Amino acid sequence: QSFKLLGFLDVQSVPCSRESVLYGSVGSLVVGLGHFLATSRVRRSCDFAVGGFICTMLGYWFYCRYNLAQHRIRQRMLKEGMRNKILFEGSSLDPERKQTGNERGDS
């Protein structure tokens, strides 16, 4: 069962969306309550809470997506390295294999 935020953002299937909404909710609570305690103005505190939600949610969204992209790049590099290790293991192209004088072309 999926939960759609604003009718189009499927929170369960989109990476980082669930955490972004949760952190945004906490951020809105902290900012709104902090502003209310400082000024005792309800309407203005609600405006700050909405702004805190948007800023916190978008901030964590970009942070999480950046880390996810870095993780996928490292994973792709590791997969290619493992494939090359299996492909070149034991051949003359293996970088870990000790080369003798005959293989290097030395006379």
Side-chain angles (χ1 to χ4, degrees):
Q1 191 176 28
S2 65
F3 172 71
K4 293 193 183 228
L5 185 66
L6 302 174
F8 65 91
L9 179 63
D10 190 7
V11 176
Q12 282 185 325
S13 65
V14 178
C16 300
S17 61
R18 180 179 178 270
E19 292 86 5
S20 297
V21 171
L22 291 174
Y23 282 120
S25 300
V26 171
S28 71
L29 181 69
V30 168
V31 170
L33 190 61
H35 189 270
F36 177 73
L37 291 175
T39 63
S40 297
R41 297 173 66 188
V42 176
R43 184 172 171 83
R44 185 108 169 132
S45 297
C46 290
D47 293 341
F48 269 79
V50 170
F53 173 78
I54 292 170
C55 290
T56 307
M57 186 181 78
L58 287 178
Y60 187 76
W61 170 270
F62 288 121
Y63 169 76
C64 182
R65 294 296 285 202
Y66 178 74
N67 284 340
L68 184 64
Q70 280 187 329
H71 177 71
R72 286 182 177 166
I73 290 170
R74 284 192 304 266
Q75 192 175 22
R76 191 177 318 125
M77 288 173 53
L78 183 62
K79 186 185 288 185
E80 186 168 332
M82 289 172 59
R83 183 178 45 218
N84 288 341
K85 170 80 173 159
I86 292 170
L87 185 65
F88 296 128
E89 190 172 30
S91 71
S92 62
L93 300 173
D94 188 5
E96 293 181 4
R97 185 175 174 198
K98 303 269 189 213
Q99 293 183 346
T100 62
N102 293 338
E103 291 175 349
R104 280 188 240 151
D106 294 340
S107 300

